[in-house]
Amino acid sequence: MWHYLLKRLLIMIPTLVGVMTLTFLVTQFVPGGPVDSAIAQLDSQDSRSGTDGSSGSGGWSYSGRQGIDTQQVEQLTALYGFDKPVLERYWQMITQYAQFDLGDSYFRNQSVLELIKDKLGVSIALGFWTFTLTYLIAVPLGVAKAVRAGTSFDFFTSLVVLVGYAIPGFVLGVLLIVLFGGGSFWDVFPLRGLTSDNWAELSTLGKITDYLWHITLPVTASVVSTFAFKTLLTKNTFLEEIRRQYVLTARAKGLSERQVLWKHVFRNALLPLITGFPATFITAFFTGSLLIETLFSLDGLGLLSYESINSRDYPVVLGTLYLFTLIGLLIKLLGDFAYVLVDPRIKFDAQES
């Protein structure tokens, strides 16, 4: 096992380098970089104030680098490091990331690590509830469907699950806003942030209630489309295990149905669920939070990544991607070791040979 661990850790290094190299090439050569973004902001300010110092009227149009002094363009190019050769910029990025130095944001006057720390709490909160509720709902429901396969309960729950799976999370989020967020029907839940402005003044029970009140809609939008797949996977896995010979043997020994399901079948059915554990974790905590955070105005990592891409804030884009990739690789490694905890018969050395 330790040999396997060392091998996987060594494989992570070229994987990280490959992901960062590909992203670096895209960000360095895509049209409209941070220099053009900064020039557009300067051009906007000049157009609004007027060339004679008076306030401009009407809208403004980006005139490109022709509307900015050449010296300012050179200063911005040097500020963002684009005056250096591409290979030098690439090597600087690799050496910084090897020391876990993610650099500084171009436009936020903060280091990337500080920005990630500030936004991480929102993404963790959304991801934790999404991930936890997904498994708390999907596994028991999948087991119940497997035990009652072919009944009316199985039919109607499958219909509900498939409808939930067919509706994307952001579409369901819009529907929830229209229904319960003061859109066109009921104004029941808030649409911004995880807490109210007076949260610090509330009692302990009031803080818990206020937090759950704010998190209800975004978590619902995230969970419904996520747990549907896990429910069907759990059902199919249990159905396959229930038909095996050891289940008949356990029942013949006089074990109750609950003991057969949760002591014998459940342990063997866990392997396919653990296989999808890393993907579910990453989707709940990072990937799937982008649209939900944007839709419900939650200031988390998803919204930070989206705004950074729009503003061409490349250190933040690269830094968040580096962090997501690293966490994903580590979670995948932990998922592999979870196989051994569930089924000690699994031997990594035997698989490799």
Side-chain angles (χ1 to χ4, degrees):
M1 182 182 296
W2 292 111
H3 178 265
Y4 175 80
L5 173 61
L6 179 61
K7 182 178 178 180
R8 287 294 301 270
L9 289 175
L10 291 176
I11 292 177
M12 287 183 185
I13 298 176
T15 303
L16 274 174
V17 173
V19 171
M20 300 314 300
T21 301
L22 180 61
T23 309
F24 175 82
L25 293 175
V26 173
T27 57
Q28 295 300 307
F29 298 105
V30 69
V35 176
D36 291 327
S37 180
I39 290 174
Q41 295 179 12
L42 293 174
D43 196 18
S44 171
Q45 295 173 3
D46 291 341
S47 299
R48 290 172 180 173
S49 61
T51 56
D52 58 351
S54 59
S55 177
S57 59
W60 65 275
S61 60
Y62 172 48
S63 59
R65 300 193 179 193
Q66 297 177 355
I68 303 297
D69 184 76
T70 304
Q71 186 176 1
Q72 288 180 302
V73 176
E74 293 176 353
Q75 290 176 349
L76 288 172
T77 304
L79 177 64
Y80 299 138
F82 283 85
D83 58 331
K84 302 175 183 178
V86 174
L87 291 179
E88 183 178 346
R89 299 200 301 269
Y90 172 75
W91 179 249
Q92 182 180 359
M93 180 197 71
I94 294 297
T95 53
Q96 284 182 343
Y97 283 9
Q99 304 171 22
F100 212 75
D101 178 10
L102 305 184
D104 298 322
S105 170
Y106 286 157
F107 307 111
R108 297 174 183 265
N109 297 322
Q110 278 184 286
S111 69
V112 177
L113 277 177
E114 290 177 351
L115 281 172
I116 292 176
K117 290 178 181 178
D118 292 341
K119 312 296 183 181
L120 191 59
V122 174
S123 296
I124 288 178
L126 184 60
F128 170 79
W129 289 111
T130 301
F131 182 79
T132 303
L133 291 177
T134 295
Y135 276 91
L136 287 180
I137 295 174
V139 173
L141 181 59
V143 174
K145 287 173 62 61
V147 174
R148 299 172 177 84
T151 64
S152 58
F153 171 82
D154 182 33
F155 174 78
F156 286 111
T157 53
S158 295
L159 182 63
V160 173
V161 166
L162 291 176
V163 170
Y165 181 73
I167 300 177
F170 70 93
V171 175
L172 180 60
V174 173
L175 180 62
L176 292 174
I177 290 175
V178 172
L179 291 176
F180 304 108
S184 301
F185 295 91
W186 302 282
D187 188 4
V188 180
F189 297 98
L191 299 178
R192 183 176 297 274
L194 293 181
T195 56
S196 300
D197 295 335
N198 63 335
W199 189 79
E201 303 173 2
L202 300 176
S203 62
T204 302
L205 180 59
K207 290 180 179 179
I208 296 175
T209 304
D210 182 78
Y211 174 75
L212 296 177
W213 182 46
H214 280 77
I215 204 71
T216 297
L217 291 187
V219 168
T220 302
S222 300
V223 167
V224 170
S225 59
T226 306
F227 90 93
F229 173 76
K230 293 299 178 186
T231 300
L232 296 178
L233 177 63
T234 304
K235 174 194 172 182
N236 294 333
T237 304
F238 264 77
L239 280 177
E240 182 178 353
E241 292 295 327
I242 287 174
R243 299 189 181 103
R244 294 186 181 275
Q245 184 64 39
Y246 73 88
V247 176
L248 298 177
T249 304
R251 287 170 176 168
K253 290 181 177 179
L255 296 179
S256 65
E257 192 67 19
R258 180 180 296 272
Q259 289 177 315
V260 172
L261 287 176
W262 297 105
K263 186 177 180 181
H264 296 277
V265 177
F266 181 72
R267 186 169 185 175
N268 293 320
L270 270 180
L271 287 177
L273 296 178
I274 292 177
T275 303
F277 182 90
T280 305
F281 181 90
I282 296 300
T283 301
F285 275 82
F286 302 110
T287 310
S289 65
L290 170 58
L291 294 173
I292 300 300
E293 290 180 10
T294 305
L295 185 62
F296 290 95
S297 299
L298 301 176
D299 194 12
L301 287 178
L303 186 59
L304 174 65
S305 301
Y306 174 75
E307 293 176 346
S308 300
I309 293 173
N310 285 338
S311 63
R312 302 297 193 269
D313 197 348
Y314 292 153
V316 179
V317 175
L318 291 168
T320 52
L321 180 64
Y322 174 78
L323 180 65
F324 293 169
T325 305
L326 181 60
I327 293 177
L329 292 173
L330 292 175
I331 294 300
K332 182 64 172 67
L333 182 61
L334 291 177
D336 289 344
F337 278 93
Y339 293 160
V340 180
L341 296 178
V342 174
D343 190 351
R345 295 172 298 176
I346 295 178
K347 303 295 182 182
F348 294 117
D349 293 337
Q351 291 180 351
E352 292 174 0
S353 60

